[in-house]
Amino acid sequence: MDLFEYQGKQYFARFGIPVSPGGVADTPEEAVARADEVGYPVVVKAQVQVGGRGKAGGIKLAADAAEVLAHARAILGMDIRGHIVRRLWIEHASEIAREYYASFTLDRSAKLHLGMVSARGGVDIEQVAAEDPDAIARLHVDPTEGLTKSGGRQLVEQAGLDPEARDGAVDLLLKLYSCYVDGDADLVEVNPLILTPEGRVHALDAKVTLDDSASFRHPEWDEFRTLEGDDPRETLAKQKGLQYVGLDGEVGIIANGAGLAMSTCDVVNQVGGQPANFLDIGGGANAEVMANALEVINTDEKVRSIFINVFGGITRGEEVANGIVQALQRVDIGAPIVIRLDGTNAEQGREILKGLESERFVSRPTMLDAARTAVALAGGAPR
Ligand code: GDP
Ligand code: MN
């Protein structure tokens, strides 16, 4: 589960990580009230789960109530890379001497935690990694040992943080590591981590991804869930109990089994298309599940074609085909459909689907064929 910045900062604060005092606001009037509480100058910050808010105009300094009002009106409702701003975080503005970067995440290939620190913060860290990889200090941390003070010191020294920032940064790193491990996060990222002119080190932004597998021991995470995400497709899919992840492409995907769904995304990519989603309908593939899946994909205006990729196992081909026939009677589909049905009783299944064959419903025998057809129907030029 990804947290919004304001939730991430609330989480940070529980582990003693220094953050600025602030409050949330859903209207311009509330923004002024929060600003009056925390004291001017303030920063008006768009709460969306996407980076680069500053560049997009979603982060603004305000010296007085009139400026807060103007910025709040401009930012609420703003579309930041496909995310509509519905909530603001208003915090007391910090003075910045230097901007750094710090994060902890899991390095799956090394089977160790990975801490990263850079003196080049406040900018896109992927860009720093590409242009100047040596500007990012990296330290693998054995989970059985944890981050030690000397490990933290090594990170800040290697990153070349200013000498006056080092003690504060090591202290913050130890707390950030404990937030990451004890707080059951998959990722904690602070960009920028700032040094103030008075020499304090402080988290100015917060990106936190909680490990959903650990949610059973964190009943308090429920409060974060109330406003989770803002992708209406994912909300609808969750209501329908589907394993759905929204993506940015134009080919809607329905597959049975997570492995097949992933392979389907890969094959669509391979032939030059972009998946609109990952959707695993599980083993059942009955009419109910198929109709639900099609309904969710139908709400996505970017979808130009739908690729149904089903491998019959315990669920036989004719059951799958009947499920699709019934689902199509229930849902009015906006985009053409390509289906690849294989596995147990695939022949019988395809026989049933023949009744549906048209320009807007085509059956293809192989996954590659079907992917190419789906990409072509979506207006692309398949490879
Ligand atoms: P992001 O663009 O989505 O990563 O949003 P951030 O929260 O990181 O803010 C972007 C930039 O806005 C920061 O790198 C700072 O340069 C600036 N900024 C954010 N908060 C403050 C603040 O309290 N004071 C000042 N002077 N600048 C700020
Ligand atoms: Mn940031």
Side-chain angles (χ1 to χ4, degrees):
M1 172 173 35
D2 291 329
L3 299 187
F4 287 96
E5 175 198 5
Y6 75 93
Q7 298 171 325
K9 284 183 169 168
Q10 288 166 1
Y11 210 52
F12 278 2
R14 288 181 204 172
F15 295 87
I17 297 163
V19 291
S20 305
V24 292
D26 296 338
T27 65
E29 293 70 32
E30 279 175 24
V32 173
R34 293 296 89 74
D36 288 344
E37 285 158 19
V38 299
Y40 295 91
V42 297
V43 201
V44 180
K45 308 188 79 175
Q47 296 302 290
V48 284
Q49 290 178 341
V50 65
R53 295 167 300 161
K55 267 190 209 153
I59 311 270
K60 293 279 188 223
L61 284 162
D64 54 38
E67 284 186 17
V68 172
L69 204 58
H71 291 321
R73 284 191 179 133
I75 296 173
L76 282 167
M78 189 183 264
D79 182 331
I80 300 183
R81 292 156 65 194
H83 296 247
I84 306 296
V85 182
R86 302 211 175 82
R87 180 162 270 193
L88 302 170
W89 170 250
I90 312 295
E91 72 175 28
H92 184 67
S94 303
E95 281 187 68
I96 303 175
R98 296 293 305 267
E99 298 192 61
Y100 308 129
Y101 171 94
S103 69
F104 287 100
T105 187
L106 181 65
D107 182 347
R108 288 171 198 278
S109 52
K111 298 178 184 165
L112 293 167
H113 296 312
L114 177 65
M116 287 189 272
V117 175
S118 177
R120 286 187 57 188
V123 294
D124 185 2
I125 197 68
E126 278 82 17
Q127 200 178 324
V128 176
E131 288 169 7
D132 188 6
D134 291 341
I136 303 171
R138 292 177 170 78
L139 180 74
H140 279 110
V141 181
D142 185 329
T144 61
E145 287 164 13
L147 181 72
T148 60
K149 212 167 175 177
S150 74
R153 187 146 289 280
Q154 195 184 320
L155 270 170
V156 304
E157 281 170 9
Q158 197 190 324
L161 299 201
D162 302 84
E164 63 270 36
R166 291 185 184 179
D167 287 346
V170 170
D171 185 54
L172 189 143
L173 281 177
L174 292 170
K175 288 170 176 161
L176 187 63
Y177 182 80
S178 120
C179 174
Y180 167 69
V181 173
D182 303 327
D184 281 312
D186 281 333
L187 168 75
V188 290
E189 186 182 69
V190 187
N191 189 21
L193 174 72
I194 60 159
L195 172 67
T196 67
E198 306 84 60
R200 283 184 301 113
V201 174
H202 186 101
L204 214 60
D205 192 3
K207 187 170 170 191
V208 175
T209 304
L210 298 173
D211 176 0
D212 290 317
S213 308
S215 62
F216 70 94
R217 57 181 170 227
H218 293 281
E220 81 280 9
W221 285 0
D222 280 352
E223 70 181 270
F224 295 143
R225 228 162 249 132
T226 53
L227 254 163
E228 190 190 344
D230 55 0
D231 187 332
R233 301 172 299 172
E234 296 198 355
T235 311
L236 179 64
K238 207 164 283 166
Q239 283 164 5
K240 305 222 175 248
L242 296 169
Q243 297 295 322
Y244 178 96
V245 181
L247 302 168
D248 294 329
E250 63 293 328
V251 179
I253 286 172
I254 298 175
N256 65 333
L260 186 61
M262 278 192 262
S263 313
T264 310
C265 290
D266 285 348
V267 172
V268 166
N269 254 310
Q270 186 194 325
V271 300
Q274 293 290 329
N277 65 280
F278 164 96
L279 174 48
D280 165 21
I281 54 169
N286 60 24
E288 175 76 24
V289 176
M290 194 58 80
N292 284 340
L294 287 168
E295 241 173 79
V296 172
I297 289 184
N298 231 7
T299 63
D300 188 340
E301 283 166 12
K302 279 191 281 187
V303 167
R304 311 275 300 279
S305 70
I306 301 170
F307 179 4
I308 302 177
N309 191 4
V310 177
F311 195 91
I314 294 169
T315 310
R316 300 186 308 274
E318 67 269 29
E319 289 175 76
V320 175
N322 283 325
I324 292 170
V325 173
Q326 286 168 35
L328 289 178
Q329 285 161 358
R330 287 179 21 194
V331 191
D332 202 10
I333 306 299
I337 293 176
V338 182
I339 175 154
R340 173 259 186 169
L341 178 60
D342 212 334
T344 313
N345 292 3
E347 282 308 319
Q348 289 93 315
R350 286 186 202 143
E351 207 48 48
I352 293 165
L353 292 175
K354 264 195 190 138
L356 295 174
E357 281 280 341
S358 74
E359 260 172 33
R360 300 183 57 79
F361 188 97
V362 289
S363 173
R364 289 284 181 268
T366 72
M367 192 153 145
L368 194 60
D369 252 4
R372 288 195 174 117
T373 309
V375 169
L377 284 171
R383 284 198 281 268

